[in-house]
Amino acid sequence: MDGKLFSQDFLKYGITESLVWQTVDDAQFKTFKQNLTQIFTHIHAASVINEANTESEIIDKVLDLLGWQNLNLKQVTATQKRRDDVPDYLLFANSDKKQLALDENKEDRRYLHGLSVLEAKKWMRALDRGDATDTLDVSTPSNQILRYLSSVEIASNRAISFGILTNGAVWRLYWQGARSRSEEFLEIDLAAALSVKGIAQNLFDFAPDHILKVFYCVFNRLAFLPQAWDNAQRTFHAFALNEARLYEEKVSKDLGQKVFDFVFPQLANALAQADENANINQTEYLDELREATLVLLYRLLFIFYAEDRNLLPVKDIRYDDYALRTIREDIAKRRDANDALSSSASKYWQHLSDLFRIIAKGDAAIGMPAYNGGLFEETRSPILSRVRLSDGVFAPLLDDLSRSLLGSQKDLFRGYINYRDLSVQHLGGIYERL
């Protein structure tokens, strides 16, 4: 699952505590999965399926399973001014709404009765770039759906604010009210979750069944309607957006508190104990120590954030061996297994020192450009250049920055902090307080 509409923690943990998730029983989900699998049985990544057949053989059938059966109109013009604003599907809450739309004598007025729009593309069509080889569809699909949403919002008198974009394999949910509509969408690779042949598994730490259930809960027709169980009568999407923001705030608050109360003082003590030039009775040294601790924390928080948001080349296999996430995972496994951590070896410290240098100077051999902001320059902090923290001291502190107690109150466990869910403002708030 990708995109920034909902936080990853919400999609992994928070959604499981919602009534929508909990009312989908095992038998219902099993039937849904079996029917989905049947749709994709004879399809593989290299299948050549034009847009019309992608609609009839895949999209229409998936929509039926999601409760949209016979509740759509195709190719309804959204505005009389722009004749090319024609989403492929206008979706309705029920048959009465659809009939009211059909009774309208102007096409754009039909959107007053709609619930959502869907833009369909041919099988495996790239969603974020144009296709110069297709003279009938050269534009960028993601730009199209955003333009349609703007037109549809006006035509529907703000009744429609969500839109779906799909090529049959990948399904995206867009929201007109997002702060950054081009980035804040939810993307689910349905074909990958169903293990369609020839499609790379890019599931990260989400189990395929979990992805499929999220897909069912979020793209189901009922998710677009007011929820009877919600006192505010919000749609499930509105509820989920609010819950996701709460998760984001909680991650930021918990991380900030951990840094202030524990990680910062522990790092400062560790650096002083490892420094042969340490003199904690001198104000000048304490100022240098404080600066070194801040620089080290800033570097680590920057890399956690940049790797989780793919701002560093984490998808380049050449970078794998040097990434922070590599030792992040290694430390987690070792601590969970109660493995011994050396009090003299400094494997993790050396790994990070090399990575700091790579980021500062760049390394074309592993796909890393130089970041010339000064944060990673060796001259920035003499203490960090002359000390080495042992694995036994440094690894637990890295793990505390990497993981936190997650899950529901009944099922707490140590899970990875999703730095990608933190906004620049959240990290900026931590920096300012430090």
mmCIF file of all heavy atoms in Angstrom, residues 5-51:
data_model
loop_
_atom_site.group_PDB
_atom_site.id
_atom_site.type_symbol
_atom_site.label_atom_id
_atom_site.label_comp_id
_atom_site.label_asym_id
_atom_site.label_seq_id
_atom_site.Cartn_x
_atom_site.Cartn_y
_atom_site.Cartn_z
ATOM 1 N N LEU A 5 -2.556 9.385 1.795
ATOM 2 C CA LEU A 5 -3.880 9.808 2.225
ATOM 3 C C LEU A 5 -4.151 9.360 3.658
ATOM 4 O O LEU A 5 -4.666 10.116 4.478
ATOM 5 C CB LEU A 5 -4.946 9.240 1.277
ATOM 6 C CG LEU A 5 -6.381 9.713 1.534
ATOM 7 C CD1 LEU A 5 -6.477 11.226 1.425
ATOM 8 C CD2 LEU A 5 -7.343 9.047 0.558
ATOM 9 N N PHE A 6 -3.802 8.101 3.952
ATOM 10 C CA PHE A 6 -3.930 7.555 5.303
ATOM 11 C C PHE A 6 -2.545 7.150 5.790
ATOM 12 O O PHE A 6 -1.739 6.652 5.007
ATOM 13 C CB PHE A 6 -4.844 6.332 5.320
ATOM 14 C CG PHE A 6 -6.201 6.569 4.729
ATOM 15 C CD1 PHE A 6 -6.564 5.951 3.543
ATOM 16 C CD2 PHE A 6 -7.109 7.409 5.347
ATOM 17 C CE1 PHE A 6 -7.819 6.159 2.986
ATOM 18 C CE2 PHE A 6 -8.363 7.631 4.790
ATOM 19 C CZ PHE A 6 -8.714 7.003 3.612
ATOM 20 N N SER A 7 -2.273 7.329 7.064
ATOM 21 C CA SER A 7 -0.969 6.942 7.594
ATOM 22 C C SER A 7 -0.815 5.426 7.548
ATOM 23 O O SER A 7 -1.787 4.667 7.645
ATOM 24 C CB SER A 7 -0.793 7.439 9.039
ATOM 25 O OG SER A 7 -1.658 6.745 9.916
ATOM 26 N N GLN A 8 0.430 4.969 7.405
ATOM 27 C CA GLN A 8 0.701 3.543 7.345
ATOM 28 C C GLN A 8 0.321 2.845 8.653
ATOM 29 O O GLN A 8 -0.161 1.708 8.637
ATOM 30 C CB GLN A 8 2.182 3.309 7.040
ATOM 31 C CG GLN A 8 2.609 3.784 5.662
ATOM 32 C CD GLN A 8 1.988 2.971 4.541
ATOM 33 O OE1 GLN A 8 2.314 1.808 4.373
ATOM 34 N NE2 GLN A 8 1.088 3.577 3.789
ATOM 35 N N ASP A 9 0.519 3.510 9.778
ATOM 36 C CA ASP A 9 0.133 2.915 11.062
ATOM 37 C C ASP A 9 -1.370 2.704 11.133
ATOM 38 O O ASP A 9 -1.842 1.694 11.653
ATOM 39 C CB ASP A 9 0.594 3.793 12.222
ATOM 40 C CG ASP A 9 2.062 3.577 12.556
ATOM 41 O OD1 ASP A 9 2.603 2.524 12.171
ATOM 42 O OD2 ASP A 9 2.666 4.457 13.181
ATOM 43 N N PHE A 10 -2.137 3.658 10.613
ATOM 44 C CA PHE A 10 -3.589 3.472 10.610
ATOM 45 C C PHE A 10 -3.974 2.288 9.729
ATOM 46 O O PHE A 10 -4.811 1.469 10.107
ATOM 47 C CB PHE A 10 -4.312 4.726 10.128
ATOM 48 C CG PHE A 10 -5.785 4.497 9.937
ATOM 49 C CD1 PHE A 10 -6.632 4.430 11.028
ATOM 50 C CD2 PHE A 10 -6.317 4.309 8.670
ATOM 51 C CE1 PHE A 10 -7.995 4.172 10.861
ATOM 52 C CE2 PHE A 10 -7.665 4.052 8.491
ATOM 53 C CZ PHE A 10 -8.514 3.993 9.586
ATOM 54 N N LEU A 11 -3.365 2.209 8.538
ATOM 55 C CA LEU A 11 -3.709 1.125 7.619
ATOM 56 C C LEU A 11 -3.302 -0.237 8.162
ATOM 57 O O LEU A 11 -3.909 -1.262 7.827
ATOM 58 C CB LEU A 11 -3.036 1.361 6.263
ATOM 59 C CG LEU A 11 -3.552 2.566 5.471
ATOM 60 C CD1 LEU A 11 -2.687 2.798 4.252
ATOM 61 C CD2 LEU A 11 -5.006 2.369 5.079
ATOM 62 N N LYS A 12 -2.292 -0.247 9.016
ATOM 63 C CA LYS A 12 -1.831 -1.528 9.556
ATOM 64 C C LYS A 12 -2.524 -1.894 10.867
ATOM 65 O O LYS A 12 -2.863 -3.054 11.090
ATOM 66 C CB LYS A 12 -0.315 -1.490 9.769
ATOM 67 C CG LYS A 12 0.278 -2.864 10.098
ATOM 68 C CD LYS A 12 1.792 -2.827 10.041
ATOM 69 C CE LYS A 12 2.366 -4.240 10.226
ATOM 70 N NZ LYS A 12 3.838 -4.234 10.148
ATOM 71 N N TYR A 13 -2.736 -0.894 11.723
ATOM 72 C CA TYR A 13 -3.269 -1.186 13.056
ATOM 73 C C TYR A 13 -4.629 -0.543 13.305
ATOM 74 O O TYR A 13 -5.576 -1.215 13.715
ATOM 75 C CB TYR A 13 -2.288 -0.698 14.137
ATOM 76 C CG TYR A 13 -0.872 -1.152 13.926
ATOM 77 C CD1 TYR A 13 0.148 -0.230 13.680
ATOM 78 C CD2 TYR A 13 -0.533 -2.501 13.960
ATOM 79 C CE1 TYR A 13 1.459 -0.639 13.487
ATOM 80 C CE2 TYR A 13 0.771 -2.912 13.765
ATOM 81 C CZ TYR A 13 1.763 -1.974 13.533
ATOM 82 O OH TYR A 13 3.055 -2.378 13.329
ATOM 83 N N GLY A 14 -4.724 0.763 13.057
ATOM 84 C CA GLY A 14 -5.935 1.486 13.407
ATOM 85 C C GLY A 14 -7.176 0.976 12.718
ATOM 86 O O GLY A 14 -8.238 0.859 13.334
ATOM 87 N N ILE A 15 -7.065 0.632 11.435
ATOM 88 C CA ILE A 15 -8.235 0.176 10.688
ATOM 89 C C ILE A 15 -8.796 -1.119 11.247
ATOM 90 O O ILE A 15 -10.001 -1.371 11.185
ATOM 91 C CB ILE A 15 -7.895 0.027 9.188
ATOM 92 C CG1 ILE A 15 -9.177 -0.072 8.361
ATOM 93 C CG2 ILE A 15 -6.974 -1.167 8.938
ATOM 94 C CD1 ILE A 15 -8.954 -0.020 6.867
ATOM 95 N N THR A 16 -7.939 -1.936 11.852
ATOM 96 C CA THR A 16 -8.395 -3.220 12.403
ATOM 97 C C THR A 16 -9.273 -3.034 13.632
ATOM 98 O O THR A 16 -9.985 -3.962 14.031
ATOM 99 C CB THR A 16 -7.204 -4.126 12.773
ATOM 100 O OG1 THR A 16 -6.468 -3.531 13.851
ATOM 101 C CG2 THR A 16 -6.281 -4.329 11.581
ATOM 102 N N GLU A 17 -9.220 -1.853 14.248
ATOM 103 C CA GLU A 17 -10.051 -1.577 15.415
ATOM 104 C C GLU A 17 -11.379 -0.939 15.042
ATOM 105 O O GLU A 17 -12.223 -0.699 15.897
ATOM 106 C CB GLU A 17 -9.289 -0.666 16.385
ATOM 107 C CG GLU A 17 -8.003 -1.298 16.921
ATOM 108 C CD GLU A 17 -7.243 -0.365 17.844
ATOM 109 O OE1 GLU A 17 -7.760 0.736 18.151
ATOM 110 O OE2 GLU A 17 -6.137 -0.722 18.258
ATOM 111 N N SER A 18 -11.570 -0.649 13.744
ATOM 112 C CA SER A 18 -12.813 -0.018 13.297
ATOM 113 C C SER A 18 -13.916 -1.058 13.164
ATOM 114 O O SER A 18 -13.675 -2.240 12.918
ATOM 115 C CB SER A 18 -12.601 0.680 11.946
ATOM 116 O OG SER A 18 -12.420 -0.277 10.913
ATOM 117 N N LEU A 19 -15.152 -0.594 13.319
ATOM 118 C CA LEU A 19 -16.298 -1.493 13.209
ATOM 119 C C LEU A 19 -16.438 -2.033 11.790
ATOM 120 O O LEU A 19 -16.867 -3.179 11.585
ATOM 121 C CB LEU A 19 -17.570 -0.750 13.631
ATOM 122 C CG LEU A 19 -18.812 -1.614 13.884
ATOM 123 C CD1 LEU A 19 -18.552 -2.607 15.012
ATOM 124 C CD2 LEU A 19 -20.006 -0.734 14.232
ATOM 125 N N VAL A 20 -16.056 -1.226 10.805
ATOM 126 C CA VAL A 20 -16.143 -1.665 9.409
ATOM 127 C C VAL A 20 -15.282 -2.904 9.188
ATOM 128 O O VAL A 20 -15.706 -3.889 8.573
ATOM 129 C CB VAL A 20 -15.710 -0.527 8.459
ATOM 130 C CG1 VAL A 20 -15.488 -1.048 7.047
ATOM 131 C CG2 VAL A 20 -16.754 0.578 8.455
ATOM 132 N N TRP A 21 -14.063 -2.874 9.701
ATOM 133 C CA TRP A 21 -13.154 -4.017 9.574
ATOM 134 C C TRP A 21 -13.695 -5.224 10.331
ATOM 135 O O TRP A 21 -13.705 -6.345 9.822
ATOM 136 C CB TRP A 21 -11.783 -3.632 10.108
ATOM 137 C CG TRP A 21 -10.736 -4.700 10.047
ATOM 138 C CD1 TRP A 21 -10.587 -5.764 10.911
ATOM 139 C CD2 TRP A 21 -9.687 -4.842 9.073
ATOM 140 N NE1 TRP A 21 -9.525 -6.534 10.545
ATOM 141 C CE2 TRP A 21 -8.952 -5.995 9.423
ATOM 142 C CE3 TRP A 21 -9.299 -4.093 7.964
ATOM 143 C CZ2 TRP A 21 -7.838 -6.413 8.688
ATOM 144 C CZ3 TRP A 21 -8.196 -4.517 7.237
ATOM 145 C CH2 TRP A 21 -7.489 -5.659 7.587
ATOM 146 N N GLN A 22 -14.138 -5.002 11.545
ATOM 147 C CA GLN A 22 -14.542 -6.097 12.416
ATOM 148 C C GLN A 22 -15.835 -6.781 11.995
ATOM 149 O O GLN A 22 -16.078 -7.933 12.347
ATOM 150 C CB GLN A 22 -14.648 -5.591 13.860
ATOM 151 C CG GLN A 22 -13.303 -5.164 14.441
ATOM 152 C CD GLN A 22 -13.423 -4.454 15.767
ATOM 153 O OE1 GLN A 22 -14.525 -4.235 16.277
ATOM 154 N NE2 GLN A 22 -12.289 -4.055 16.346
ATOM 155 N N THR A 23 -16.677 -6.072 11.220
ATOM 156 C CA THR A 23 -17.924 -6.689 10.775
ATOM 157 C C THR A 23 -17.758 -7.528 9.508
ATOM 158 O O THR A 23 -18.713 -8.178 9.080
ATOM 159 C CB THR A 23 -18.990 -5.604 10.520
ATOM 160 O OG1 THR A 23 -18.471 -4.606 9.646
ATOM 161 C CG2 THR A 23 -19.428 -4.965 11.826
ATOM 162 N N VAL A 24 -16.570 -7.511 8.916
ATOM 163 C CA VAL A 24 -16.291 -8.382 7.773
ATOM 164 C C VAL A 24 -15.792 -9.714 8.330
ATOM 165 O O VAL A 24 -14.639 -9.842 8.733
ATOM 166 C CB VAL A 24 -15.232 -7.779 6.829
ATOM 167 C CG1 VAL A 24 -14.968 -8.709 5.650
ATOM 168 C CG2 VAL A 24 -15.668 -6.404 6.343
ATOM 169 N N ASP A 25 -16.674 -10.708 8.402
ATOM 170 C CA ASP A 25 -16.281 -11.973 9.022
ATOM 171 C C ASP A 25 -15.419 -12.811 8.079
ATOM 172 O O ASP A 25 -15.261 -12.497 6.897
ATOM 173 C CB ASP A 25 -17.499 -12.772 9.501
ATOM 174 C CG ASP A 25 -18.466 -13.120 8.373
ATOM 175 O OD1 ASP A 25 -17.998 -13.409 7.245
ATOM 176 O OD2 ASP A 25 -19.680 -13.121 8.599
ATOM 177 N N ASP A 26 -14.864 -13.888 8.609
ATOM 178 C CA ASP A 26 -13.922 -14.709 7.847
ATOM 179 C C ASP A 26 -14.567 -15.299 6.599
ATOM 180 O O ASP A 26 -13.947 -15.349 5.529
ATOM 181 C CB ASP A 26 -13.375 -15.829 8.738
ATOM 182 C CG ASP A 26 -12.481 -15.306 9.841
ATOM 183 O OD1 ASP A 26 -12.024 -14.154 9.726
ATOM 184 O OD2 ASP A 26 -12.239 -16.036 10.826
ATOM 185 N N ALA A 27 -15.813 -15.758 6.726
ATOM 186 C CA ALA A 27 -16.491 -16.378 5.581
ATOM 187 C C ALA A 27 -16.735 -15.359 4.469
ATOM 188 O O ALA A 27 -16.539 -15.652 3.283
ATOM 189 C CB ALA A 27 -17.815 -16.994 6.036
ATOM 190 N N GLN A 28 -17.148 -14.162 4.857
ATOM 191 C CA GLN A 28 -17.395 -13.098 3.880
ATOM 192 C C GLN A 28 -16.108 -12.714 3.155
ATOM 193 O O GLN A 28 -16.101 -12.564 1.931
ATOM 194 C CB GLN A 28 -17.978 -11.882 4.604
ATOM 195 C CG GLN A 28 -18.345 -10.720 3.692
ATOM 196 C CD GLN A 28 -18.901 -9.532 4.477
ATOM 197 O OE1 GLN A 28 -19.080 -9.605 5.696
ATOM 198 N NE2 GLN A 28 -19.160 -8.441 3.791
ATOM 199 N N PHE A 29 -15.026 -12.574 3.914
ATOM 200 C CA PHE A 29 -13.755 -12.211 3.296
ATOM 201 C C PHE A 29 -13.240 -13.336 2.400
ATOM 202 O O PHE A 29 -12.706 -13.079 1.316
ATOM 203 C CB PHE A 29 -12.711 -11.880 4.364
ATOM 204 C CG PHE A 29 -11.345 -11.595 3.798
ATOM 205 C CD1 PHE A 29 -11.102 -10.418 3.115
ATOM 206 C CD2 PHE A 29 -10.318 -12.520 3.905
ATOM 207 C CE1 PHE A 29 -9.855 -10.163 2.560
ATOM 208 C CE2 PHE A 29 -9.071 -12.275 3.359
ATOM 209 C CZ PHE A 29 -8.837 -11.084 2.684
ATOM 210 N N LYS A 30 -13.395 -14.573 2.836
ATOM 211 C CA LYS A 30 -12.938 -15.715 2.035
ATOM 212 C C LYS A 30 -13.641 -15.736 0.684
ATOM 213 O O LYS A 30 -13.006 -15.949 -0.363
ATOM 214 C CB LYS A 30 -13.190 -17.018 2.790
ATOM 215 C CG LYS A 30 -12.696 -18.249 2.053
ATOM 216 C CD LYS A 30 -12.955 -19.514 2.868
ATOM 217 C CE LYS A 30 -12.475 -20.753 2.119
ATOM 218 N NZ LYS A 30 -12.724 -22.002 2.912
ATOM 219 N N THR A 31 -14.953 -15.497 0.693
ATOM 220 C CA THR A 31 -15.718 -15.481 -0.556
ATOM 221 C C THR A 31 -15.257 -14.337 -1.457
ATOM 222 O O THR A 31 -15.086 -14.504 -2.669
ATOM 223 C CB THR A 31 -17.215 -15.331 -0.260
ATOM 224 O OG1 THR A 31 -17.651 -16.440 0.538
ATOM 225 C CG2 THR A 31 -18.024 -15.287 -1.547
ATOM 226 N N PHE A 32 -15.047 -13.156 -0.863
ATOM 227 C CA PHE A 32 -14.574 -11.993 -1.620
ATOM 228 C C PHE A 32 -13.231 -12.300 -2.272
ATOM 229 O O PHE A 32 -13.030 -12.035 -3.463
ATOM 230 C CB PHE A 32 -14.458 -10.791 -0.675
ATOM 231 C CG PHE A 32 -13.835 -9.580 -1.313
ATOM 232 C CD1 PHE A 32 -14.522 -8.846 -2.268
ATOM 233 C CD2 PHE A 32 -12.566 -9.161 -0.951
ATOM 234 C CE1 PHE A 32 -13.950 -7.714 -2.858
ATOM 235 C CE2 PHE A 32 -11.980 -8.034 -1.528
ATOM 236 C CZ PHE A 32 -12.680 -7.316 -2.482
ATOM 237 N N LYS A 33 -12.318 -12.877 -1.515
ATOM 238 C CA LYS A 33 -10.986 -13.180 -2.047
ATOM 239 C C LYS A 33 -11.068 -14.217 -3.167
ATOM 240 O O LYS A 33 -10.383 -14.084 -4.198
ATOM 241 C CB LYS A 33 -10.079 -13.686 -0.920
ATOM 242 C CG LYS A 33 -8.663 -14.006 -1.386
ATOM 243 C CD LYS A 33 -7.810 -14.530 -0.240
ATOM 244 C CE LYS A 33 -6.416 -14.905 -0.737
ATOM 245 N NZ LYS A 33 -5.569 -15.441 0.371
ATOM 246 N N GLN A 34 -11.872 -15.228 -2.980
ATOM 247 C CA GLN A 34 -12.016 -16.258 -4.017
ATOM 248 C C GLN A 34 -12.560 -15.669 -5.311
ATOM 249 O O GLN A 34 -12.077 -15.991 -6.411
ATOM 250 C CB GLN A 34 -12.940 -17.368 -3.513
ATOM 251 C CG GLN A 34 -12.325 -18.257 -2.437
ATOM 252 C CD GLN A 34 -13.304 -19.266 -1.873
ATOM 253 O OE1 GLN A 34 -14.527 -19.095 -1.986
ATOM 254 N NE2 GLN A 34 -12.787 -20.316 -1.256
ATOM 255 N N ASN A 35 -13.560 -14.804 -5.200
ATOM 256 C CA ASN A 35 -14.148 -14.189 -6.391
ATOM 257 C C ASN A 35 -13.166 -13.237 -7.080
ATOM 258 O O ASN A 35 -13.114 -13.179 -8.313
ATOM 259 C CB ASN A 35 -15.429 -13.444 -6.013
ATOM 260 C CG ASN A 35 -16.558 -14.381 -5.636
ATOM 261 O OD1 ASN A 35 -16.600 -15.528 -6.074
ATOM 262 N ND2 ASN A 35 -17.473 -13.907 -4.800
ATOM 263 N N LEU A 36 -12.391 -12.510 -6.282
ATOM 264 C CA LEU A 36 -11.361 -11.641 -6.851
ATOM 265 C C LEU A 36 -10.319 -12.471 -7.597
ATOM 266 O O LEU A 36 -9.928 -12.137 -8.723
ATOM 267 C CB LEU A 36 -10.658 -10.857 -5.737
ATOM 268 C CG LEU A 36 -11.114 -9.443 -5.412
ATOM 269 C CD1 LEU A 36 -10.190 -8.838 -4.370
ATOM 270 C CD2 LEU A 36 -11.161 -8.561 -6.651
ATOM 271 N N THR A 37 -9.869 -13.515 -6.962
ATOM 272 C CA THR A 37 -8.853 -14.383 -7.560
ATOM 273 C C THR A 37 -9.331 -14.942 -8.887
ATOM 274 O O THR A 37 -8.561 -15.035 -9.853
ATOM 275 C CB THR A 37 -8.495 -15.526 -6.590
ATOM 276 O OG1 THR A 37 -8.049 -14.973 -5.350
ATOM 277 C CG2 THR A 37 -7.407 -16.414 -7.167
ATOM 278 N N GLN A 38 -10.609 -15.285 -8.938
ATOM 279 C CA GLN A 38 -11.179 -15.844 -10.163
ATOM 280 C C GLN A 38 -11.108 -14.840 -11.314
ATOM 281 O O GLN A 38 -10.837 -15.211 -12.464
ATOM 282 C CB GLN A 38 -12.633 -16.257 -9.916
ATOM 283 C CG GLN A 38 -13.294 -16.974 -11.085
ATOM 284 C CD GLN A 38 -12.611 -18.293 -11.435
ATOM 285 O OE1 GLN A 38 -12.152 -19.007 -10.539
ATOM 286 N NE2 GLN A 38 -12.546 -18.615 -12.716
ATOM 287 N N ILE A 39 -11.302 -13.566 -11.014
ATOM 288 C CA ILE A 39 -11.249 -12.528 -12.051
ATOM 289 C C ILE A 39 -9.870 -12.471 -12.698
ATOM 290 O O ILE A 39 -9.729 -12.286 -13.908
ATOM 291 C CB ILE A 39 -11.602 -11.154 -11.438
ATOM 292 C CG1 ILE A 39 -13.068 -11.135 -10.990
ATOM 293 C CG2 ILE A 39 -11.333 -10.024 -12.444
ATOM 294 C CD1 ILE A 39 -13.451 -9.893 -10.199
ATOM 295 N N PHE A 40 -8.819 -12.659 -11.881
ATOM 296 C CA PHE A 40 -7.445 -12.495 -12.359
ATOM 297 C C PHE A 40 -6.767 -13.821 -12.724
ATOM 298 O O PHE A 40 -5.575 -13.813 -13.064
ATOM 299 C CB PHE A 40 -6.608 -11.781 -11.284
ATOM 300 C CG PHE A 40 -6.971 -10.340 -11.078
ATOM 301 C CD1 PHE A 40 -7.987 -9.981 -10.208
ATOM 302 C CD2 PHE A 40 -6.307 -9.337 -11.772
ATOM 303 C CE1 PHE A 40 -8.329 -8.653 -9.999
ATOM 304 C CE2 PHE A 40 -6.638 -8.001 -11.582
ATOM 305 C CZ PHE A 40 -7.652 -7.654 -10.704
ATOM 306 N N THR A 41 -7.496 -14.910 -12.690
ATOM 307 C CA THR A 41 -6.894 -16.233 -12.886
ATOM 308 C C THR A 41 -6.091 -16.350 -14.172
ATOM 309 O O THR A 41 -4.982 -16.890 -14.191
ATOM 310 C CB THR A 41 -7.985 -17.331 -12.861
ATOM 311 O OG1 THR A 41 -8.589 -17.349 -11.564
ATOM 312 C CG2 THR A 41 -7.372 -18.700 -13.155
ATOM 313 N N HIS A 42 -6.620 -15.871 -15.283
ATOM 314 C CA HIS A 42 -5.970 -16.057 -16.589
ATOM 315 C C HIS A 42 -5.244 -14.799 -17.067
ATOM 316 O O HIS A 42 -4.951 -14.658 -18.259
ATOM 317 C CB HIS A 42 -7.002 -16.493 -17.624
ATOM 318 C CG HIS A 42 -7.712 -17.760 -17.256
ATOM 319 N ND1 HIS A 42 -7.065 -18.972 -17.150
ATOM 320 C CD2 HIS A 42 -9.015 -17.989 -16.918
ATOM 321 C CE1 HIS A 42 -7.928 -19.902 -16.796
ATOM 322 N NE2 HIS A 42 -9.120 -19.340 -16.651
ATOM 323 N N ILE A 43 -4.952 -13.889 -16.137
ATOM 324 C CA ILE A 43 -4.281 -12.637 -16.491
ATOM 325 C C ILE A 43 -2.879 -12.629 -15.915
ATOM 326 O O ILE A 43 -2.652 -13.116 -14.809
ATOM 327 C CB ILE A 43 -5.070 -11.433 -15.935
ATOM 328 C CG1 ILE A 43 -6.485 -11.405 -16.535
ATOM 329 C CG2 ILE A 43 -4.347 -10.115 -16.242
ATOM 330 C CD1 ILE A 43 -7.383 -10.359 -15.910
ATOM 331 N N HIS A 44 -1.913 -12.105 -16.686
ATOM 332 C CA HIS A 44 -0.558 -11.932 -16.160
ATOM 333 C C HIS A 44 -0.068 -10.541 -16.542
ATOM 334 O O HIS A 44 -0.741 -9.803 -17.279
ATOM 335 C CB HIS A 44 0.395 -13.020 -16.672
ATOM 336 C CG HIS A 44 0.420 -13.172 -18.156
ATOM 337 N ND1 HIS A 44 1.171 -12.365 -18.973
ATOM 338 C CD2 HIS A 44 -0.231 -14.051 -18.968
ATOM 339 C CE1 HIS A 44 1.000 -12.732 -20.228
ATOM 340 N NE2 HIS A 44 0.155 -13.751 -20.263
ATOM 341 N N ALA A 45 1.106 -10.190 -16.029
ATOM 342 C CA ALA A 45 1.604 -8.826 -16.206
ATOM 343 C C ALA A 45 1.726 -8.436 -17.677
ATOM 344 O O ALA A 45 1.498 -7.281 -18.043
ATOM 345 C CB ALA A 45 2.952 -8.676 -15.506
ATOM 346 N N ALA A 46 2.093 -9.373 -18.512
ATOM 347 C CA ALA A 46 2.330 -9.064 -19.924
ATOM 348 C C ALA A 46 1.066 -9.157 -20.784
ATOM 349 O O ALA A 46 1.130 -8.965 -22.004
ATOM 350 C CB ALA A 46 3.400 -9.999 -20.479
ATOM 351 N N SER A 47 -0.065 -9.435 -20.171
ATOM 352 C CA SER A 47 -1.309 -9.516 -20.938
ATOM 353 C C SER A 47 -1.592 -8.190 -21.639
ATOM 354 O O SER A 47 -1.406 -7.119 -21.048
ATOM 355 C CB SER A 47 -2.483 -9.867 -20.019
ATOM 356 O OG SER A 47 -2.333 -11.155 -19.459
ATOM 357 N N VAL A 48 -2.016 -8.262 -22.893
ATOM 358 C CA VAL A 48 -2.361 -7.061 -23.654
ATOM 359 C C VAL A 48 -3.875 -6.933 -23.649
ATOM 360 O O VAL A 48 -4.596 -7.672 -24.319
ATOM 361 C CB VAL A 48 -1.837 -7.153 -25.099
ATOM 362 C CG1 VAL A 48 -2.248 -5.909 -25.884
ATOM 363 C CG2 VAL A 48 -0.323 -7.325 -25.108
ATOM 364 N N ILE A 49 -4.371 -5.971 -22.850
ATOM 365 C CA ILE A 49 -5.813 -5.785 -22.688
ATOM 366 C C ILE A 49 -6.119 -4.302 -22.869
ATOM 367 O O ILE A 49 -5.636 -3.471 -22.099
ATOM 368 C CB ILE A 49 -6.293 -6.248 -21.289
ATOM 369 C CG1 ILE A 49 -5.741 -7.641 -20.958
ATOM 370 C CG2 ILE A 49 -7.811 -6.242 -21.208
ATOM 371 C CD1 ILE A 49 -6.052 -8.092 -19.532
ATOM 372 N N ASN A 50 -6.895 -3.955 -23.866
ATOM 373 C CA ASN A 50 -7.188 -2.545 -24.098
ATOM 374 C C ASN A 50 -8.133 -2.016 -23.018
ATOM 375 O O ASN A 50 -8.621 -2.764 -22.169
ATOM 376 C CB ASN A 50 -7.742 -2.309 -25.510
ATOM 377 C CG ASN A 50 -9.087 -2.996 -25.736
ATOM 378 O OD1 ASN A 50 -9.834 -3.255 -24.800
ATOM 379 N ND2 ASN A 50 -9.399 -3.279 -26.987
ATOM 380 N N GLU A 51 -8.390 -0.712 -23.069
ATOM 381 C CA GLU A 51 -9.170 -0.094 -21.993
ATOM 382 C C GLU A 51 -10.580 -0.650 -21.910
ATOM 383 O O GLU A 51 -11.089 -0.935 -20.819
ATOM 384 C CB GLU A 51 -9.212 1.422 -22.188
ATOM 385 C CG GLU A 51 -9.885 2.158 -21.035
ATOM 386 C CD GLU A 51 -9.785 3.660 -21.161
ATOM 387 O OE1 GLU A 51 -8.666 4.167 -21.378
ATOM 388 O OE2 GLU A 51 -10.838 4.326 -21.035
#
